[in-house]
Amino acid sequence: MKIDFANLQYQYQLYKEEIDEAIHKVLDKSNYIMGEEVNELEKNLENFTDAKNAITCSSGTDALLLAMMALDIQPGDEVITTPFTFIATAETIALLGAKPVFVDIDEKTYNIDPSKIEDKITPKTKAIIPVSLYGQPADIDAIQTIADKHTLKVIVDGAQSFGSTYKDKTDSNLGDISTTSFFPAKPLGCFGDGGAVFTNDETLATKMKQLRVHGQNKRYHHKYIGLGGRMDTIQCAVVNVKLKHYKKDLALRQEVAQKYTDALKDKDIILPFIAYDRTSVFAQYSIRVQDRDEIQAKLKEQGITTAVHYPMPLHLQECFSYLEYKKGEFPTAEKVSDEIMSLPMNPYVSDEEIKFISENLIIS
Ligand SMILES: *Cc1c(COP(=O)(O)O)cnc(C)c1O
């Protein structure tokens, strides 16, 4: 048996006719940049998320840049985030000249621990960026309460969590601005790079639309220093098709996760924990084990692809050595980085495959 990790091929075959037609429509019109499919997708995303404004952009990374630029994050500012995330979350803070300030994670959800945030707030702190890791939102109410008390902005990095919920609100409808990514392997992926920002604030929405096109408020008139940050029409056409099937795909993902949990619950493994007031879209099904390298190697021998999200927390990355964090500073993030591994996850993992993976997941 060979078990693919994200199985993008299968999904394309499933929706091939509709996707090919949507792509060819764009080719026939040759409206490659800001074609009508872009606007269509933004309307569809607003309907799906209940956020008042959805603005597509070139990637989940650029979505974070747009959000921080719209909130006027400046050199010298401090932005609080988690060290246990993909590099883009903190990299974009640093790219804008601001300082990433890390706060350790919650041992169960692996998201930023709100009880540790206040200690890190200084007069320079401007914003908090919680990440909805593996598809589950962080404890936003607790974070928002701290942000309100200290007049800080909240940006939700929802790159992995499109369609998840926190107390019945979608992940895209939380904080001042929420972002997502349509990178192919994310739960809602396009066929290249893409992303979006969401906000209920009209002023921020207008500013992000302008920032996305080189800060222009009129053709060749530039109000801000901005980005070339548009999402291609073809990519929007792909997401328009996939979004139609997304509720069904999400339900399947959640079913696969439940089946994994049922199959693995008697092993000496730490399984994903989803808080009672949230849902996860299971961008990853990540478990914690002691002998990770050995277990991964054994699974690989059987044709089962696994991955590690993420093997090194950001405070220990070479690019952030100038921040002078030390090993041991964020013990939970460090421990989880050593133990975490992700099993194949996509809507189409079969019962037989789950059984096979479980049988080959041998804990010594
Ligand atoms: C994937 C990801 C991003 C970046 O998205 P891209 O579309 O690849 O630029 C940012 N943050 C997190 C948490 C991610 O997982």
Side-chain angles (χ1 to χ4, degrees), residues 25-295:
K25 252 193 195 158
V26 178
L27 297 179
D28 286 335
K29 288 184 284 192
S30 301
N31 55 349
Y32 303 120
I33 299 292
M34 297 310 269
E36 62 209 57
E37 286 79 359
V38 179
N39 198 33
E40 221 174 277
L41 175 59
E42 291 175 347
K43 289 280 158 302
N44 291 338
L45 291 171
E46 286 162 7
N47 284 334
F48 194 96
T49 60
D50 284 332
K52 286 209 183 79
N53 301 277
I55 300 154
T56 57
C57 63
S58 38
S59 68
T61 304
D62 288 342
L64 289 163
L65 274 179
L66 285 173
M68 279 186 270
M69 288 163 83
L71 294 172
D72 239 352
I73 303 298
Q74 298 278 339
D77 290 345
E78 293 178 4
V79 177
I80 290 175
T81 192
T82 161
F84 190 58
T85 176
F86 181 59
I87 184 74
T89 318
E91 180 186 38
T92 45
I93 298 170
L95 257 179
L96 292 174
K99 181 179 174 187
V101 175
F102 296 119
V103 167
D104 208 356
I105 55 170
D106 175 80
E107 161 117 43
K108 285 163 99 177
T109 64
Y110 313 137
N111 283 325
I112 193 168
D113 181 347
S115 73
K116 301 200 165 99
I117 292 177
E118 257 185 315
D119 274 354
K120 299 293 178 77
I121 295 174
T122 75
K124 291 181 180 167
T125 310
K126 290 287 151 58
I128 308 170
I129 309 187
V131 176
S132 312
L133 202 75
Y134 306 146
Q136 171 178 220
D139 187 356
I140 295 295
D141 279 359
I143 293 166
Q144 194 65 55
T145 302
I146 297 164
D148 291 344
K149 184 171 156 199
H150 298 272
T151 49
L152 307 175
K153 299 295 182 185
V154 176
I155 300 169
V156 174
D157 182 347
Q160 304 181 5
S161 58
F162 184 79
S164 66
T165 57
Y166 178 86
K167 298 185 181 171
D168 297 327
K169 272 184 164 185
T170 69
D171 185 71
S172 306
N173 202 3
L174 302 170
D176 293 281
I177 299 174
S178 178
T179 68
T180 199
S181 163
F182 303 124
F183 182 82
K186 308 284 178 175
L188 180 64
C190 60
F191 292 173
D193 278 310
V197 289
F198 302 87
T199 185
N200 291 322
D201 181 310
E202 298 301 326
T203 311
L204 288 174
T206 304
K207 190 171 177 186
M208 287 192 286
K209 276 185 200 158
Q210 294 171 345
L211 286 167
R212 172 177 68 174
V213 194
H214 306 287
Q216 74 179 17
N217 54 358
K218 220 170 93 185
R219 198 170 173 89
Y220 302 131
H221 290 71
H222 303 272
K223 182 172 178 181
Y224 311 107
I225 307 279
L227 299 174
R230 294 162 300 225
M231 182 165 163
D232 298 348
T233 310
I234 287 180
Q235 300 303 342
C236 290
V238 171
V239 179
N240 271 326
V241 172
K242 287 220 212 164
L243 188 58
K244 274 195 258 172
H245 303 284
Y246 192 59
K247 282 222 162 99
K248 186 175 64 198
D249 282 348
L250 271 192
L252 288 174
R253 267 181 187 278
Q254 287 163 341
E255 257 175 52
V256 168
Q258 187 56 50
K259 286 176 184 167
Y260 266 133
T261 297
D262 293 342
L264 301 176
K265 63 180 188 303
D266 295 329
K267 295 185 197 274
D268 190 17
I269 295 176
I270 300 178
L271 299 176
F273 169 86
I274 309 302
Y276 74 94
D277 52 2
R278 288 163 242 182
T279 60
S280 175
V281 298
F282 290 98
Q284 308 299 345
Y285 187 90
S286 301
I287 59 174
R288 277 164 64 195
V289 293
Q290 294 305 317
D291 311 308
R292 181 175 65 200
D293 292 352
E294 214 176 291
I295 289 167

